Amino acid sequence: MAENNVCEKQVGIALFGLGRAGQIHIQNIISNYRTALKWIIEEDLDKANKYIKKYFLGDTRVVSSENMSQVLDDNSVDAVLVCTPTHTHEQIVRASLKAGKSVFCEKPIATTIESTQSCYDDAETYNKTLYCAFNRRFDPAVRNISKRARAGEIGQIQQIKMISRDAPKPPIEYLKISGGIFHDCGVHDIDVICWIVGESPESVYSQGHTFDKNIAALDDYDSISITMKFPSGVLASIFLSRLAAYGYDQRLEVFGSEGMLMSNNMSPKEVVFHGPVGAVDEPIHPSFAQRYDQSYKQELDHFIDVITGVVSTCEISRRDTVQASVIAEACEQSCRLGKPIAIAEGKMVLE
C-alpha cells in the first residue's frame, strides 16, 4: 500500500523488542541513513540501555511496553518494527496502525488467520502499510533464482527442493513461544516456493519426528519433511531440522524442463583450499543472522521505499501473508493427522 508521502527527512522508527530478530534490526536501523531510531520498547531496560551506550544513541529513548502509548503519541515516529514474542504482535500492530504508524512485523502478524485478516483491515482503514517480514524473498541468491525461474529461463518449473536446517539449536525458552517448527521455520520456505511458482498448493503432506526430548515435551517436532502439489503440476519438497551440526544449512533447487537453478550453502570467506589430500571448504555460515544478513537489510529498505512512496506496492501482500499461514497450518495438521490435507480457495479442507 503506497502512502504517497515521499519525505525529505529520516523516517522515525520505534523498535519493539530486542530478541533474536530485534538485535538484527536495531543494527540495520542504525546503519541505514534514511532511518532514525526514536524509541526502543523493551522489558529488559538494562539490555536496551546497553545498546544505547554501545551505539551512542543519545537521541533514542527507552521504555517498557507499559509506556507504549507514550511512544505511539510521538509524532516523530513514522513507523514501528515489531520484534516481540508472537502472542504480543496483534496488540502492538493494531495499536500502532490506529495511531497512524506504518508497521513492519516479524511473522506472524497474529496467532490466528482471523486476527491476521483484522490487522490488515485496520491497515486499510487507517491507510497505513502493514508489512510481514518474509525476509528470504530479499536474499540475493533466492531473489535471483525466483526472477530467472519466473522469467522462463529453465522452462516449465517441475520440481522445487528446499533444505532449511537450523544452527545453533534455538534456546528452549525461544521454542516455547516460537509457534512451533511449521509456523516458525517452515512458513519461510512455503512463502518462497509459492512466490516462485506463483500459485498456492492444492494439497500438502507432512511427516515429522522429535529427537530432542525437551522439544518433544513442547509437543513440537525437530525434524520434518513437507511435500506440496501445485495446480500446475509442480512438486515441492521441504526438509527442516532444528539443528545441523555443521552450520546453518540453507539450499534451494528449482528444476525445470530446460534446466535447473540452484543455491548452495555459503561461507563467510567463500574460499576453497586445494592440496595433496584434496579440496577443503571453509565452514558455512553459523546461523541465520549471518546467512541472511543482506536480506534483512534489503527488506528494511523495501519497507522504507513503500512508506515513503518510492515504490507503489509492498512485495509481501495481505494474500501472501495469509496464504503462508494457512499452508503452514495445513502442513502441521497433515503431520499430526497422518494424512494429506487439501487446500481450496485459501482454506484447509478437513474431512
Side-chain angles (χ1 to χ4, degrees):
M1 181 186 303
E3 298 172 17
N4 299 318
N5 62 337
V6 178
C7 56
E8 297 180 356
K9 66 178 183 65
Q10 287 182 305
V11 174
I13 290 180
L15 175 63
F16 281 77
L18 282 174
R20 289 179 9 136
Q23 291 177 49
I24 295 171
H25 290 306
I26 190 172
Q27 295 181 62
N28 293 335
I29 294 168
I30 293 168
S31 62
N32 192 311
Y33 71 92
R34 295 193 293 169
T35 58
L37 184 59
K38 300 292 185 180
W39 296 85
I40 298 173
I41 303 87
E42 167 61 45
E43 303 312 302
D44 187 341
L45 298 180
D46 288 340
K47 180 179 184 180
N49 280 311
K50 287 180 181 178
Y51 276 89
I52 296 293
K53 183 177 180 180
K54 180 178 179 179
Y55 293 106
F56 302 97
L57 303 175
D59 296 327
T60 303
R61 287 173 281 182
V62 174
V63 294
S64 62
S65 61
E66 64 181 6
N67 294 309
M68 181 170 69
S69 61
Q70 183 181 359
V71 176
L72 299 183
D73 286 341
D74 184 352
N75 291 329
S76 73
V77 174
D78 304 298
V80 165
L81 265 68
V82 183
C83 307
T84 52
T86 295
H87 69 276
T88 67
H89 287 189
E90 181 184 358
Q91 177 191 5
I92 300 170
V93 167
R94 302 190 76 165
S96 300
L97 291 168
K98 186 177 181 180
K101 316 300 182 186
S102 293
V103 178
F104 174 121
C105 185
E106 283 296 321
K107 51 81 189 157
I109 298 291
T111 55
T112 67
I113 299 299
E114 294 75 19
S115 295
T116 300
Q117 295 279 25
S118 294
C119 289
Y120 277 100
D121 288 341
D122 285 355
E124 292 180 7
T125 296
Y126 299 112
N127 193 33
K128 289 295 169 183
T129 296
L130 174 54
Y131 168 82
C132 185
F134 285 119
N135 66 294
R136 293 187 189 179
R137 290 198 191 190
F138 297 91
D139 175 73
V142 173
R143 202 166 182 82
N144 182 273
I145 287 177
S146 178
K147 180 180 179 181
R148 294 167 67 179
R150 288 186 288 125
E153 185 173 333
I154 57 171
Q156 171 65 53
I157 299 173
Q158 297 179 355
Q159 298 175 357
I160 299 179
K161 180 173 72 174
M162 291 195 75
I163 295 173
S164 294
R165 299 184 180 121
D166 217 344
K169 184 182 296 183
I172 198 69
E173 292 306 315
Y174 170 77
L175 295 178
K176 289 179 180 178
I177 61 172
S178 70
I181 192 170
F182 287 95
H183 288 276
D184 182 43
C185 298
V187 71
H188 281 292
D189 305 275
I190 289 166
D191 174 68
V192 167
I193 290 172
C194 290
W195 178 47
I196 293 172
V197 178
E199 298 175 348
S200 180
E202 60 187 15
S203 66
V204 301
Y205 179 63
S206 303
Q207 289 184 299
H209 187 76
T210 313
F211 293 93
D212 187 316
K213 64 181 181 180
N214 294 315
I215 297 177
L218 302 177
D219 192 28
D220 196 8
Y221 303 92
D222 58 21
S223 181
I224 62 174
S225 66
I226 297 169
T227 300
M228 301 189 290
K229 172 76 178 292
F230 289 83
S232 62
V234 175
L235 296 175
S237 299
I238 302 171
F239 298 91
L240 300 172
S241 173
R242 281 297 190 184
L243 176 63
Y246 47 86
Y248 193 62
D249 189 357
Q250 299 288 294
R251 287 174 274 167
L252 169 61
E253 179 181 296
V254 182
F255 171 82
S257 59
E258 303 296 328
M260 181 172 68
L261 294 163
M262 185 188 311
S263 172
N264 283 317
N265 281 316
M266 301 177 185
S267 69
K269 297 178 182 178
E270 290 293 337
V271 173
V272 179
F273 169 77
H274 293 264
V277 297
V280 180
D281 286 334
E282 292 285 338
I284 63 176
H285 286 291
S287 186
F288 71 99
Q290 295 80 29
R291 168 60 184 84
Y292 287 112
D293 174 66
Q294 287 302 310
S295 74
Y296 286 109
K297 291 181 171 68
Q298 294 298 324
E299 71 168 348
L300 177 62
D301 269 328
H302 175 66
F303 177 67
I304 300 304
D305 283 345
V306 173
I307 68 175
T308 58
V310 174
V311 297
S312 60
T313 305
C314 182
E315 287 198 21
I316 314 296
S317 69
R318 174 182 186 146
R319 179 184 179 279
D320 294 335
T321 302
V322 172
Q323 170 183 255
S325 293
V326 169
I327 298 168
E329 182 60 24
C331 291
E332 180 166 2
Q333 291 303 313
S334 172
C335 191
R336 295 190 182 280
L337 297 174
K339 65 179 185 180
I341 299 293
I343 300 173
E345 297 180 353
K347 296 180 180 180
M348 288 188 295
V349 180
L350 296 174
E351 300 177 354

